[in-house]
Amino acid sequence: MTLVDISSGAHKSGGETWGVYCSTKAAGVVLHQSIGKEQENCRVLNYSPGIMRTEMQETIAKGVDSPSKQFLAKVLDQNKEVPIAESVAKLLEVLEQDTFETGSYVDIYDSRGPPL
């Protein structure tokens, strides 16, 4: 069995007005790393799909002003988000290659480069 956690680069550090989101993403990564070590028959992958144009991102980009909000708005305004189909294709590629170490964290930006 393979378990995929849809993570976020936000797990790496806190952000103004993003404390709960960042901390829950960090907790999710660590939880899934632990599951990968504890469950012998379960392969675990933490996957960060990148910034995509979703209803959640659109709402955040128009929300409370903060450095994180300004960055997100800039990414979306410049159409630099990751196309959903591209992110899904990358996830499927990683799963099909099946070379990741259980508990690994894969970020689409590691292969694509940062959005800005």
Side-chain angles (χ1 to χ4, degrees), residues 4 6-7 10 14 20 28 33-34 38 40 49 61-62 66 71 76 79 90 102 107 111 113:
V4 178
I6 303 301
S7 188
V20 172
Q33 289 171 338
S34 297
E38 293 172 357
E40 197 172 291
K62 295 174 185 153
S66 71
F71 176 76
L76 297 178
N79 295 312
K90 179 63 178 175
T102 191
D107 189 324
S111 61

Side-chain angles (χ1 to χ4, degrees), residues 4 8 11-12 23 25 29 40 42 47 51 53 58 65 74 80 87 89 92 94-95 98-99 104 113:
V4 178
S8 168
H11 89 278
K12 297 175 186 176
S23 61
K25 287 299 183 177
V29 168
E40 197 172 291
C42 184
Y47 178 68
I51 297 171
R53 189 174 295 276
E58 295 279 357
D65 198 28
K74 191 174 182 180
K80 299 289 187 175
S87 190
L92 292 175
V94 170
L95 292 172
D98 198 27
T99 57
S104 294

Side-chain angles (χ1 to χ4, degrees), residues 54-83:
T54 63
E55 186 175 328
M56 180 186 91
Q57 300 291 31
E58 295 279 357
T59 299
I60 292 167
K62 295 174 185 153
V64 175
D65 198 28
S66 71
S68 298
K69 178 257 182 197
Q70 291 168 8
F71 176 76
L72 179 59
K74 191 174 182 180
V75 169
L76 297 178
D77 288 346
Q78 293 181 16
N79 295 312
K80 299 289 187 175
E81 70 275 1
V82 177

Side-chain angles (χ1 to χ4, degrees), residues 5-8 10-13 19-35 44 46 105:
D5 170 46
I6 303 301
S7 188
S8 168
H11 89 278
K12 297 175 186 176
S13 64
V20 172
Y21 182 80
C22 295
S23 61
T24 57
K25 287 299 183 177
V29 168
V30 172
L31 171 65
H32 289 90
Q33 289 171 338
S34 297
I35 291 170
V44 179
N46 290 291
Y105 176 85

